[in-house]
Amino acid sequence: MAHGLTFLVGGARSGKSNLAVTLGAGHDGPVVFIATAEAIDDDLADRIARHRAERPDWPTFEVPVDLAGCVRNLPDGALAIVDCLTVWVGNLYARQLHTEQRVSMYSDLANALAGRPGPTIVISNEVGLGLHPETAIGREYRDELGRLNQQVAAIAHRTLFLVAGRAIRLGDPTEMLS
């Protein structure tokens, strides 16, 4: 795994987490896993258990809120896998944080990721390709996650869009047009 930040974005069940685990398993060095999901119901508890069983026995940090703080305190040489921003943003909404607090936390995370000396893989869903959310809070969530995804993609060394287990490498559109 090359140094720097790799951003994996795509729809649900597109292969993002599988790719991250494959990259981690092939990494020549320590790997740490940062999980943002909380077992708030039986379905999530089952999903978390399945995800744990599917990955190697890496040290795992369960971080539903202070993601930037966790990233800043990781060992420099370890490959860090952050799974995922989609759930993390939902956690911030569930805690009823104000928009300004959330936006500040997004910026703090982007700074932590940009400053991390070790290799990092960040996973997020692209939620803007589906149906238009029916509720105002659904639209706000979609828009915020989209803006956060743009922030992370802007600082990433490589960004892959995954669909059906296949990837498309994404580039800066202004550079691609020149």
Side-chain angles (χ1 to χ4, degrees):
M1 181 73 218
H3 284 290
L5 175 61
T6 300
F7 186 42
L8 305 178
V9 63
R13 305 292 168 265
S14 62
K16 304 176 302 291
S17 294
N18 288 342
L19 177 57
V21 168
T22 298
L23 293 172
H27 179 66
D28 186 28
V31 178
V32 296
F33 194 88
I34 303 168
T36 60
E38 295 179 286
I40 58 173
D41 60 28
D42 290 343
D43 178 57
L44 274 172
D46 289 344
R47 287 172 182 261
I48 290 168
R50 275 196 315 273
H51 274 278
R52 281 186 188 138
E54 292 169 354
R55 65 178 180 257
D57 189 25
W58 296 321
T60 298
F61 301 92
E62 295 181 357
V63 185
V65 177
D66 188 18
L67 198 48
C70 181
V71 167
R72 281 193 184 91
N73 290 306
L74 293 172
D76 289 350
L79 167 64
I81 299 174
V82 179
D83 193 1
C84 76
L85 298 183
T86 314
V87 173
W88 179 63
V89 171
N91 293 343
L92 302 182
Y93 269 81
R95 284 168 173 76
Q96 299 181 345
L97 298 178
H98 296 290
T99 302
E100 297 79 20
Q101 292 172 293
R102 292 189 310 268
V103 169
S104 175
M105 292 176 83
Y106 305 153
S107 179
D108 195 28
L109 176 62
N111 289 332
L113 291 168
R116 183 161 194 281
T120 309
I121 299 171
V122 175
I123 300 167
S124 188
N125 284 50
E126 173 51 66
V127 297
L129 295 175
L131 296 173
H132 184 70
E134 195 172 296
T135 64
I137 197 166
R139 291 186 293 276
E140 182 181 322
Y141 171 85
R142 177 210 50 206
D143 294 348
E144 276 191 29
L145 182 60
R147 285 190 289 272
L148 175 59
N149 285 347
Q150 288 181 51
Q151 276 186 284
V152 175
I155 61 170
H157 294 89
R158 64 210 135 265
T159 298
L160 300 180
F161 179 67
L162 278 89
V163 178
R166 298 293 184 222
I168 300 168
R169 189 174 193 134
L170 302 179
D172 180 333
T174 57
E175 290 176 10
M176 296 171 96
L177 291 170
S178 56

